[in-house]
């Protein structure tokens, strides 16, 4: 018999709806699992046990409602999504004591769906990083190996789902920060179309790139959570005025005749041979399922990393000006004048990676360099967008690896930020174009998961879920469990 913590969102929902279990039992089981594994995983910055149990008891009093399939489901929230009266740090010393006076729009939607936040997840500081090593608070471990990074910046959100602490979590994706940790931990992660989900209440890193998205163990679970958190929001001028479809509507339908393009730029010698082999097998699986899989080209994607680090750092330089030691957050005690407040609070409150990106962004925006750097990056971004549009004129989806490698060891990028930046080379173009992308497990190398990336056209997440679900049902990779879940991998 399965423990509750091993069940998927859909399985838990069925048990709650049929009254086989109470919501209180589900939430208690989740906290028992967290208590049993947190010392090893270190995925949470803050737990929300008292409020979560209180919410569970209230839901049990009301009884299950058939039009609220996610009611009673525990969920983890990345710590850059503001939560009213619950510590929100963005993984930084700068916000070590910040208790927000309001909820992000996604939190309002989570509560409306009846989901229960059990805590705030560890992350790279201000979402800047791809290993969760830049967090001020702790070092989250990969669920499959405590010697490997969990990926980032949503490392806590991914590792906790993979370790069975929670069945679902929210992450954020600026250059791959949902898909890459999902790949490293062998779970499903989705970066929706830019504008699909409100960013109101998301602590901004790069406003033209950031997007909130769900992380789960199965494709259908992921679509269920996306149903709950999507939609236009008057508080966010970049959220799209688009009807929210049922993202599960095409799940289970065959994909015969679906056209899938594989960019030759995503399958170069820079991709680990074992990763390439797994992707080639995935291509063959799709052909067996009746899809047409052909090579395509995204010629400007090779400039994605350079473009991204100019644009993202420039936007970060602007967004992070608000952390000044004046209104909220960390304030240096060793001050003698107003300049000290600014300089010392920011020097002591920000970590090295955040300072590096602020400096890079400020340089790119400075007089004399704006045209050569920021403006040029914007022009190349347009070329990347046009490349994708050309491919989507003829193809339904784009397929490739999520990351060129499996999860790496802790500390391996410590003195080489450029190598760390290149780990996002296959995910960054999706953010620059504002497209939706999904990561799902497609193989293993050295006992560690490999992620398959499917990229959809704008606001066509249902088609992406349809193809991802077909692959999941045709393979067994999503059933593999790390040792921490009683698996032998």
């Amino acid at each position: 018999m399965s423990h509750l913590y091993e069940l998927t969102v859909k399985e838990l929902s069925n048990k709650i709806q049929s009254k086989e279990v109470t919501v209180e039992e589900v939430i208690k089981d989740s906290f028992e699992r967290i208590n049993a594994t947190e010392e090893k995983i270190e995925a949470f910055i803050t737990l929300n046990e008292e409020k979560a149990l209180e919410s569970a008891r209230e839901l049990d009093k009301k009884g299950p409602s058939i039009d609220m399939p996610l009611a009673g489901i525990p969920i983890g929230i990345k710590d850059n999504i503001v939560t009213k009266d619950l510590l929100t740090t963005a993984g930084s010393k700068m916000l070590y004591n910040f208790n927000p006076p309001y909820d992000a729009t996604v939190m309002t939607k989570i509560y409306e769906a009846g989901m229960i936040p059990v805590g705030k997840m560890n992350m790279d500081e201000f979402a800047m990083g791809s290993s969760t090593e830049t967090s001020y608070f702790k070092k989250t471990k990969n669920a499959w190996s405590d010697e490997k990074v969990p990926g980032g910046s949503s490392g806590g959100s991914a590792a906790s789902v993979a370790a069975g602490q929670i069945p679902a979590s929210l992450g954020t994706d600026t250059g791959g920060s949902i898909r890459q940790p999902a790949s490293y931990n062998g779970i499903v992660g989705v970066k929706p179309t830019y504008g699909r989900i409100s960013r109101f209440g998301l602590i901004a890193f790069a406003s033209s790139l950031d997007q909130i998205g769900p992380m789960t163990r199965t494709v259908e679970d992921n679509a269920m959570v996306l149903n709950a958190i999507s939609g236009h929001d008057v508080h966010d001028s970049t959220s799209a005025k688009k009807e929210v479809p049922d993202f599960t509507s095409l799940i289970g339908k065959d994909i015969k005749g679906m056209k899938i393009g594989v960019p030759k730029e995503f399958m170069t010698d820079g991709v680990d041979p074992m990763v390439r082999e797994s992707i080639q097998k995935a291509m063959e699986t799709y052909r067996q399922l009746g899809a047409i899989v052909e090579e395509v080209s995204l010629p400007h994607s090779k400039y994605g990393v350079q473009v991204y680090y100019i644009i993202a750092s420039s936007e970060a330089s602007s967004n992070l000006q608000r952390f000044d030691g004046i209104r909220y957050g960390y304030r240096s005690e060793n001050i003698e004048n107003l300049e000290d407040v600014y300089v010392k609070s920011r020097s002591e409150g920000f970590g090295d990676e955040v300072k590096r990106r602020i400096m890079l962004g400020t340089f790119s925006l400075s007089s004399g360099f704006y045209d050569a750097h920021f403006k040029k990056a914007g022009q190349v971004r347009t070329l990347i967008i046009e490349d994708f549009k050309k491919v989507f004129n003829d193809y339904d989806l784009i397929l490739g690896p999520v990351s060129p490698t499996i999860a790496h060891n802790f500390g391996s990028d410590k003195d080489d930020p450029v190598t760390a930046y290149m780990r996002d080379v296959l995910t960054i173009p999706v953010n620059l174009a504002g497209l939706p992308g999904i990561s799902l497990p497609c193989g293993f190398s050295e006992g560690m998961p490999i992620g398959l990336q499917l990229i959809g056209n704008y606001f066509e997440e249902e088609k992406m879920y349809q193809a991802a679900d077909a692959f999941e049902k045709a393979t067994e990779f999503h059933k593999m469990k790390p040792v921490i879940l009683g698996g032998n991998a």
Side-chain angles (χ1 to χ4, degrees):
M1 182 184 160
S2 295
H3 296 284
L4 289 178
Y5 65 74
E6 291 186 272
L7 300 180
T8 65
V9 169
K10 189 173 185 186
E11 288 165 345
L12 274 175
S13 174
N14 289 340
K15 284 189 178 293
I16 291 167
Q17 294 287 326
S18 65
K19 296 192 175 180
E20 276 184 69
V21 295
T22 64
V23 176
E24 186 175 1
E25 284 172 335
V26 171
I27 299 302
K28 278 184 173 172
D29 185 77
S30 184
F31 281 109
E32 280 171 19
R33 179 65 180 165
I34 291 165
N35 292 333
T37 56
E38 182 57 9
E39 194 175 323
K40 184 165 185 176
I41 298 293
E42 297 192 271
F44 286 86
I45 292 177
T46 306
L47 286 171
N48 188 37
E49 190 163 3
E50 198 176 309
K51 279 187 188 169
L53 286 167
E54 191 181 305
S55 299
R57 291 179 194 117
E58 283 175 19
L59 275 172
D60 281 332
K61 273 183 202 167
K62 289 179 191 168
S65 167
I66 198 155
D67 59 349
M68 290 176 69
L70 293 172
I73 302 296
I75 188 167
I77 309 296
K78 188 174 177 179
D79 208 25
N80 58 347
I81 296 169
V82 301
T83 43
K84 188 177 180 182
D85 299 328
L86 183 62
L87 187 68
T88 301
T89 70
S92 179
K93 182 180 181 181
M94 184 59 83
L95 290 174
Y96 77 104
N97 63 352
F98 178 51
N99 278 299
Y102 68 101
D103 274 317
T105 297
V106 285
M107 293 311 302
T108 305
K109 288 179 174 287
I110 288 287
Y111 294 129
E112 285 170 354
M115 297 188 86
I116 299 180
V118 295
K120 304 299 289 292
M121 315 312 301
N122 194 29
M123 57 179 283
D124 279 304
E125 185 181 7
F126 285 102
M128 297 181 194
S130 52
S131 65
T132 311
E133 289 174 287
T134 69
S135 170
Y136 171 70
F137 296 96
K138 53 177 64 176
K139 189 164 78 174
T140 299
K141 318 296 189 303
N142 191 298
W144 294 78
S145 168
D146 57 12
E147 293 176 3
K148 304 283 186 185
V149 301
S153 60
S154 309
S157 298
S160 59
V161 171
Q165 294 179 328
I166 42 178
S169 65
L170 293 187
T172 65
D173 195 311
T174 308
S177 288
I178 287 173
R179 288 159 291 150
Q180 185 248 36
S183 168
Y184 280 9
N185 284 274
I187 63 167
V188 178
V190 163
K191 181 253 165 210
T193 307
Y194 183 81
R196 176 65 88 185
I197 295 171
S198 170
R199 291 183 301 108
F200 178 75
L202 169 62
I203 296 171
F205 161 16
S207 304
S208 75
L209 300 162
D210 298 339
Q211 190 67 153
I212 297 167
M215 306 176 84
T216 56
R217 281 182 225 133
T218 71
V219 172
E220 188 170 7
D221 284 0
N222 204 283
M224 288 171 71
V225 178
L226 190 62
N227 276 342
I229 62 175
S230 296
H232 177 250
D233 178 20
V234 293
H235 296 113
D236 175 10
S237 61
T238 64
S239 81
K241 290 181 179 175
K242 284 267 186 186
E243 283 294 311
V244 179
D246 176 4
F247 295 113
T248 66
S249 61
L250 298 180
I251 282 177
K253 298 195 172 170
D254 77 59
I255 58 166
K256 284 190 180 105
M258 189 179 275
K259 291 190 74 179
I260 300 174
V262 182
K264 60 184 180 183
E265 294 83 3
F266 285 13
M267 298 291 279
T268 64
D269 291 343
V271 177
D272 180 272
M274 286 296 289
V275 173
R276 263 207 321 272
E277 188 182 318
S278 287
I279 299 303
Q280 283 158 353
K281 285 179 180 173
M283 289 159 60
E284 196 47 47
T285 300
Y286 273 111
R287 288 189 181 108
Q288 288 167 7
L289 289 167
I292 298 156
V293 183
E294 297 173 340
E295 184 179 87
V296 296
S297 181
L298 296 170
H300 296 96
S301 63
K302 62 185 175 186
Y303 304 117
V305 172
Q306 295 92 321
V307 169
Y308 171 85
Y309 277 97
I310 291 171
I311 291 174
S313 297
S314 298
E315 293 183 15
S317 164
S318 175
N319 280 324
L320 269 60
Q321 286 183 57
R322 70 194 68 177
F323 304 108
D324 53 11
I326 300 288
R327 287 156 287 193
Y328 57 91
Y330 177 79
R331 183 173 187 167
S332 176
E333 292 177 7
N334 183 26
I335 52 176
E336 293 177 9
N337 53 46
L338 184 60
E339 188 176 341
D340 280 354
V341 175
Y342 293 129
V343 174
K344 291 187 176 177
S345 296
R346 286 169 70 82
S347 297
E348 295 165 19
F350 289 137
D352 289 346
E353 184 59 33
V354 174
K355 289 176 188 171
R356 186 181 290 123
R357 299 202 195 188
I358 289 172
M359 291 293 287
L360 176 61
T362 305
F363 173 80
S364 299
L365 292 172
S366 60
S367 176
F369 295 101
Y370 178 89
D371 284 350
H373 297 295
F374 187 76
K375 186 179 176 185
K376 186 67 72 181
Q379 290 167 333
V380 179
R381 181 184 194 171
T382 300
L383 295 174
I384 291 170
I385 292 168
E386 291 303 316
D387 285 349
F388 275 113
K389 283 182 177 174
K390 279 178 195 163
V391 173
F392 282 121
N393 282 336
D394 299 313
Y395 293 87
D396 297 297
L397 293 167
I398 292 169
L399 180 154
V402 175
S403 173
T405 64
I406 56 169
H408 52 282
N409 289 337
F410 283 103
S412 57
D413 293 343
K414 193 173 179 218
D415 302 315
D416 187 4
V418 176
T419 298
Y421 296 169
M422 290 307 291
R423 294 190 190 280
D424 296 331
V425 66
L426 302 173
T427 51
I428 277 171
V430 178
N431 296 79
L432 290 171
L435 293 162
I438 187 169
S439 168
L440 64 157
C442 72
F444 288 85
S445 174
E446 299 169 34
M448 299 300 294
I450 294 169
L452 165 71
Q453 178 173 217
L454 294 174
I455 303 163
N457 206 348
Y458 297 104
F459 300 103
E460 290 189 2
E461 285 90 350
E462 311 100 291
K463 200 181 283 184
M464 198 171 71
Y465 279 125
Q466 178 189 4
D469 177 72
F471 180 83
E472 186 179 85
K473 289 192 169 103
T475 58
E476 298 284 303
F477 299 116
H478 67 290
K479 294 179 181 175
M480 296 284 281
K481 295 176 183 177
V483 174
I484 199 165
L485 264 178
N488 54 11

